Amino acid sequence: MTDKKSVRASMHIDVWVECPNCESDINLRDEADTNGHNHDEECGVLMQACPNGEHWSEAHQNFSVKGVVCTQCKHEFNVEGLDW
Ligand SMILES: [Zn+2]
């Protein structure tokens, strides 16, 4: 019998949008992409993306992050809805 080792898995969750002004790819969970704003803290990006006790497909219709500012061009926009 071989002695098999176990390892832990790790999951990385990024939530991407494209700037409607300059088409930069923006990770809503990375302050470096959102002009220094922590949208996870303000809007619960992760909690909205991975909701507790709700069907994801239904919850994602209501996914909303307001006032995202693009680091590249400083354009401000809202995010409505989440595809995955
Ligand atoms: Zn931009």
Side-chain angles (χ1 to χ4, degrees):
M1 201 173 96
T2 51
D3 203 7
K4 289 179 185 163
K5 287 182 179 172
S6 295
V7 297
R8 288 188 69 83
S10 67
M11 183 165 77
H12 302 270
I13 300 172
D14 295 327
V15 182
W16 294 94
V17 297
E18 185 181 86
C19 174
N21 187 52
C22 73
E23 299 181 356
S24 288
D25 289 322
I26 296 170
N27 178 2
L28 293 175
R29 303 200 60 228
D30 187 348
E31 291 174 36
D33 285 357
T34 56
N35 205 32
H37 289 280
N38 183 343
H39 289 287
D40 242 339
E41 202 168 78
E42 290 168 12
C43 309
V45 172
L46 184 60
M47 288 305 295
Q48 288 195 73
C50 307
N52 226 345
E54 252 183 294
H55 286 293
W56 285 18
S57 52
E58 284 170 29
H60 289 172
Q61 300 295 326
N62 300 321
F63 183 87
S64 170
V65 182
K66 305 243 185 268
V68 176
V69 177
C70 173
T71 297
Q72 298 300 321
C73 71
K74 312 300 181 196
H75 183 80
E76 184 173 337
F77 59 96
N78 296 329
V79 181
E80 306 285 348
L82 171 65
D83 299 324
W84 57 290

